[in-house]
Amino acid sequence: MDEKTFSRDGTELAYTRAGRGPAVILVSGAMSTGGTVAPLAGLLAQRFTALWYDRRGRGESGDTAPYAVEREVEDLAALIDAAGGEAALYGVSSGGALALRAAASGLPVTRVAVYETPYADFSEHGAQERAAYTARMTEALAANRRGDAVESFLRLTGLAEAVIEGARQSPMWAAMEAIAPTLAYDDAVMGDGLLPRELLASVGVPVLAVAGSESPSWLRRAVEAVARAVPGGAHRTLEGQTHMVDPNVLAPVLTEFLAP
């Protein structure tokens, strides 16, 4: 990250800017930094001024207690100012939920695109699973068992135990534990995990919700529900894609939607 700005509460935010044209800010999801969306940002920079950043508590950005979702909305307000006063937003996974909240709050957002925002399965079991994760993750972080919190998140995503154990032994595990406290931030952004119909109904800009055809059916249903809940919302399914979407497949879809 080669630029800095400050949020309303004084938290330093690290970001990178590339390209020329209308501004689009990329918002990463849980257990990730701005580097996660950098490859996609590089492709979008061929048509837009792309900004990507480390959300608070991650990478090169600072953090200020106590956390509140409103502070992350204010972070986006600061980045929009840095981008020139208005911007489109793209958010992946729980970063999509943050982007939608920012648009609903009245920030000068022109358009919003989201990829697989993981609102809970539309069943009692899905809601219970989400609540159980919140309890386990919160308890682990309170006891400073960061590794256990990361494991809880990885299980929520559906990873097999053997894969999780392999991750624990990998060089990336230390970096995952370093940003584990931000799991609570993404959990707060997602609320109870259910589709926030009232909030989405208040979004007054065009929204595109995108899913991969190879992602779980509940996640694809959630994407379609987001599009239905937003006035004039639309959704797309990318053939052959999973939650780990190929930037080269996604970039043309976003370019078409975000172009003024």
Side-chain angles (χ1 to χ4, degrees), residues 25-237:
I25 298 171
L26 290 81
V27 187
S28 62
M31 293 305 299
S32 62
T33 64
T36 307
V37 294
L40 176 62
L43 295 170
L44 293 178
Q46 298 173 20
R47 176 65 178 78
F48 305 96
T49 298
L51 287 82
W52 60 105
Y53 71 110
D54 289 335
R55 289 171 56 189
R56 60 173 55 210
R58 314 171 197 221
E60 298 174 31
S61 288
D63 202 2
T64 304
Y67 176 81
V69 176
E70 291 77 12
R71 303 294 83 76
E72 288 219 72
V73 172
E74 291 169 358
D75 294 349
L76 279 170
L79 288 160
I80 291 171
D81 283 346
E86 69 173 23
L89 302 178
Y90 165 73
V92 58
S93 196
S94 53
L98 177 56
L100 290 166
R101 286 182 177 275
S105 75
L107 294 186
V109 172
T110 57
R111 289 174 175 257
V112 180
V114 297
Y115 190 83
E116 295 192 345
T117 301
Y119 292 115
D121 194 2
F122 302 104
S123 68
E124 184 177 350
H125 172 73
Q128 290 175 344
E129 183 180 28
R130 185 77 172 71
Y133 160 72
T134 297
R136 289 193 301 270
M137 178 271 299
T138 302
E139 179 184 8
L141 290 179
N144 200 32
R145 301 196 317 271
R146 294 188 175 193
D148 292 346
V150 174
E151 281 195 5
S152 292
F153 172 74
L154 296 179
R155 289 191 184 96
L156 182 71
T157 68
L159 289 185
E161 291 299 319
V163 176
I164 294 173
E165 182 58 30
R168 260 197 179 273
Q169 306 307 316
S170 74
M172 69 179 181
W173 190 256
M176 296 174 74
E177 286 194 348
I179 61 172
T182 65
L183 286 170
Y185 301 0
D186 285 277
D187 194 60
V189 168
M190 293 300 301
D192 62 7
L194 301 177
L195 190 76
R197 298 183 187 278
E198 185 175 345
L199 180 141
L200 294 178
S202 70
V203 175
V205 298
V207 171
L208 176 66
V210 186
S213 67
E214 303 308 302
S215 291
S217 59
W218 70 266
L219 197 47
R220 288 183 275 117
R221 291 198 303 272
V223 167
E224 293 173 6
V226 168
R228 288 195 301 269
V230 176
H235 73 87
R236 288 279 301 272
T237 300

